[in-house]
Amino acid sequence: MKASEEERFRDLAAASLPWLTRTATALTGDAHRGDDLVQEALVKAYVHWRKVRSADNPPAYLRRILVRCHLDAARAASRRETPSGHQLAGSHHHPGLTEPMAHDSHGQLEDRLPLLAALGNLTAKQRAVIVLRFIDDLDVATTATTLDISPSTVKSTTHDALRILRTQLTETQTDAPTWRER
Amino acid sequence: MNDIDQVPREFASTVQTLRDQGESLPTAGHVDLTSVVDSGRRHARRRRTRGLAAGLAGVALIGGIAAALGTDTIRQDGAPATPEPQVTITEQDQRRPVTELYAVAPDVMGDAGIKIDGKIRWTMGDVPLYGQAPAYITGMPNSAAPPPAGFPPQGYPAKAASAMVPLSAEDALEVTTYSVHGGLPLEQDYCSWWENVPTRVPSPCEQMKVEDGILLRQDGYEMLSFIWSGGQVVVRPVSLTFQRVTDVPWDEMERIATDPRLRW
């Protein structure tokens, strides 16, 4: 890649990092995995820079790469047998969810945890739809384009996912001790 | 922009919660654009090499057909112009004195992981985590390949098998090119067993070298260090916690793992 093109890539990547990071964290439920996802997506964007550069909306193309990477990883993970049972003493694993966040330096963990925990109960596709629509605030059509699915699938997936989330988030709020109870 | 009215009213509060909590998600991570560009360059270079190899193989095939037809040939033997990538571990590498060591933390699945190019590329199985030598190298967690036949050897926990995934030749090339973590000296019987495993993954009994790209990850777990020391794997828990860092200098890793205060 020419130096000037590389500079353009860096500019786009730098400008996109904040929202890429937020989206990736929401998709993976884990700040570290979110970083990995962002890195993977940006490397792919670099390799396919011509396509990214010539896209009508390069940031949207970046988002599409990010989400596809996430879905591909989820698909691969679902085919993989994963170790379970034995765990390190003192560690309570919830893959991809709470542990890494417990050491997150950004604070606000308690605010974030219910959301990430609830999202963890969705399928990868449901999660992607919810994140794109309500965290990235994309409309149905853009979400459909990003995920390469039909708008009606976006709507039905949104409905199913929200039904699950409503239960989860309500339970979380019910379970959490209130100030008065303490 | 999305309109909250596009979802049924019963979900309005859920959507609002999503939006509110979504705003508190981090927008600053640890992705280093220089590292991204470096990785991108390597991937792009590899793609070009693969494309060239495929093209040359095609030419060679045509040449082979042409030879069979008795016409002029580009390459009489019809063999691929570019050999399969091989991992070559030199004698010098094997002799390399290691204090080449690394400290790794278990990933969320309970295995120890080493990250290369932003991915966990090699993981250490659980066996060493529980202090039961020998350690072994497992493959890429993202691979869907099953464990090699015959794994685990008798007497080893079944769990180890689930983490055991062979690398492909391409992966091995990447590892060779970019970064291979320190070799693991293993018990002789394990090495003998490994030699019979039908996999292209280099035996973990062989010494490999470390170049770059290592990430340390803490995630709040106990750190473990694996040390090549006189042909023995020494596994010990390290009570220090580290922030997630990139490109830890080897000197620093060595210092960490040889700190007498960390001995158990």
Side-chain angles (χ1 to χ4, degrees):
Chain A
M1 189 188 292
K2 290 179 182 174
S4 59
E5 288 299 322
E6 200 163 282
E7 195 59 33
R8 287 180 65 183
F9 169 80
R10 281 177 180 272
D11 289 345
L12 175 65
S16 305
L17 265 180
W19 64 261
L20 281 174
T21 302
R22 188 178 63 170
T23 303
T25 304
L27 286 172
T28 59
D30 175 326
H32 294 312
R33 289 184 183 208
D35 282 347
D36 295 348
L37 183 59
V38 170
Q39 165 116 1
E40 185 181 354
L42 287 177
V43 169
K44 283 195 175 174
Y46 181 97
V47 173
H48 301 284
W49 174 242
R50 281 186 198 171
K51 288 183 186 172
V52 177
R53 179 191 61 185
S54 58
D56 291 339
N57 185 344
Y61 202 98
L62 265 186
R63 179 183 277 111
R64 191 170 177 167
I65 294 175
L66 184 85
V67 175
R68 300 307 301 180
C69 287
H70 167 66
L71 293 176
D72 288 347
R75 209 169 290 126
S78 71
R79 291 195 301 262
R80 183 178 83 228
E81 186 184 2
T82 51
S84 61
H86 297 290
Q87 293 176 342
L88 278 180
S91 67
H92 304 282
H93 299 287
H94 295 281
L97 262 182
T98 56
E99 283 288 276
M101 298 301 288
H103 294 266
D104 181 25
S105 59
H106 300 287
Q108 301 174 306
L109 169 62
E110 291 178 3
D111 292 337
R112 242 178 279 151
L113 205 53
L115 167 65
L116 294 178
L119 288 174
N121 291 303
L122 304 179
T123 66
K125 183 176 160 190
Q126 287 173 332
R127 188 169 187 146
V129 167
I130 290 296
V131 168
L132 291 178
R133 288 207 59 199
F134 304 119
I135 293 179
D136 286 0
D137 214 18
L138 302 183
D139 59 26
V140 171
T142 310
T143 301
T145 304
T146 304
L147 292 171
D148 204 17
I149 57 179
S150 69
S152 60
T153 303
V154 170
K155 287 180 184 174
S156 61
T157 306
T158 302
H159 189 272
D160 293 345
L162 283 176
R163 201 169 47 202
I164 296 169
L165 286 175
R166 186 176 61 166
T167 307
Q168 293 291 324
L169 290 172
T170 305
E171 282 177 0
T172 306
Q173 285 164 358
T174 306
D175 292 344
T178 64
W179 183 84
R180 189 175 296 174
E181 287 170 332
R182 285 185 235 143
Chain B
M1 295 293 284
N2 188 28
D3 188 337
I4 197 168
D5 292 333
Q6 287 181 325
V7 296
R9 185 174 297 173
E10 61 184 303
F11 296 130
S13 67
T14 303
V15 168
Q16 196 56 50
T17 302
L18 283 166
R19 286 183 164 146
D20 291 346
Q21 295 195 14
E23 284 183 8
S24 71
L25 290 172
T27 54
H30 298 84
V31 174
D32 174 18
L33 286 184
T34 301
S35 166
V36 167
V37 169
D38 287 346
S39 280
R41 284 175 183 161
R42 286 195 290 260
H43 280 77
R45 191 161 53 237
R46 201 163 57 247
R47 276 170 59 87
R48 284 196 297 273
T49 304
R50 276 209 301 264
L52 180 63
L56 289 173
V59 168
L61 178 61
I62 292 168
I65 293 170
L69 294 174
T71 58
D72 192 16
T73 60
I74 298 171
R75 209 179 145 157
Q76 294 281 341
D77 59 6
T82 303
E84 283 284 306
Q86 298 286 334
V87 174
T88 303
I89 299 169
T90 66
E91 190 179 352
Q92 187 180 5
D93 285 335
Q94 292 186 41
R95 286 179 182 171
R96 192 168 172 169
V98 190
T99 50
E100 261 176 14
L101 53 89
Y102 42 85
V104 293
D107 65 18
V108 292
M109 302 312 298
D111 294 60
I114 288 184
K115 304 186 79 185
I116 300 169
D117 283 348
K119 291 182 183 177
I120 296 176
R121 306 308 300 250
W122 296 79
T123 58
M124 307 284 301
D126 296 289
V127 175
L129 299 187
Y130 301 105
Q132 301 168 47
Y136 61 91
I137 293 176
T138 62
M140 296 174 63
N142 286 335
S143 168
F151 193 90
Q154 193 172 4
Y156 288 85
K159 185 186 174 191
S162 65
M164 181 75 188
V165 183
L167 295 170
S168 70
E170 180 187 328
D171 298 326
L173 177 66
E174 179 166 308
V175 168
T176 304
T177 305
Y178 297 154
S179 178
V180 177
H181 72 73
L184 299 173
L186 301 170
E187 288 176 350
Q188 188 55 46
D189 58 347
Y190 187 81
C191 293
S192 300
W193 170 82
W194 183 276
E195 287 170 5
N196 295 320
V197 176
T199 173
R200 286 185 288 184
V201 183
S203 164
C205 304
E206 298 175 67
Q207 165 62 9
M208 292 175 281
K209 61 183 177 181
V210 180
E211 292 179 359
D212 61 8
I214 303 297
L215 301 181
L216 270 182
R217 178 169 182 166
Q218 57 109 335
D219 286 353
Y221 305 123
E222 246 184 350
M223 297 289 291
L224 298 173
S225 64
F226 300 78
I227 304 172
W228 179 302
S229 175
Q232 297 288 321
V233 173
V234 178
V235 183
R236 64 191 187 199
V238 178
S239 59
L240 288 181
T241 54
F242 296 86
Q243 293 300 313
R244 181 184 164 92
V245 289
T246 58
D247 300 329
V248 179
W250 284 109
D251 289 350
E252 176 65 8
M253 286 200 180
E254 186 175 346
R255 188 195 64 74
I256 291 167
T258 54
D259 187 334
R261 291 172 302 174
L262 305 179
R263 293 193 191 286
W264 58 347

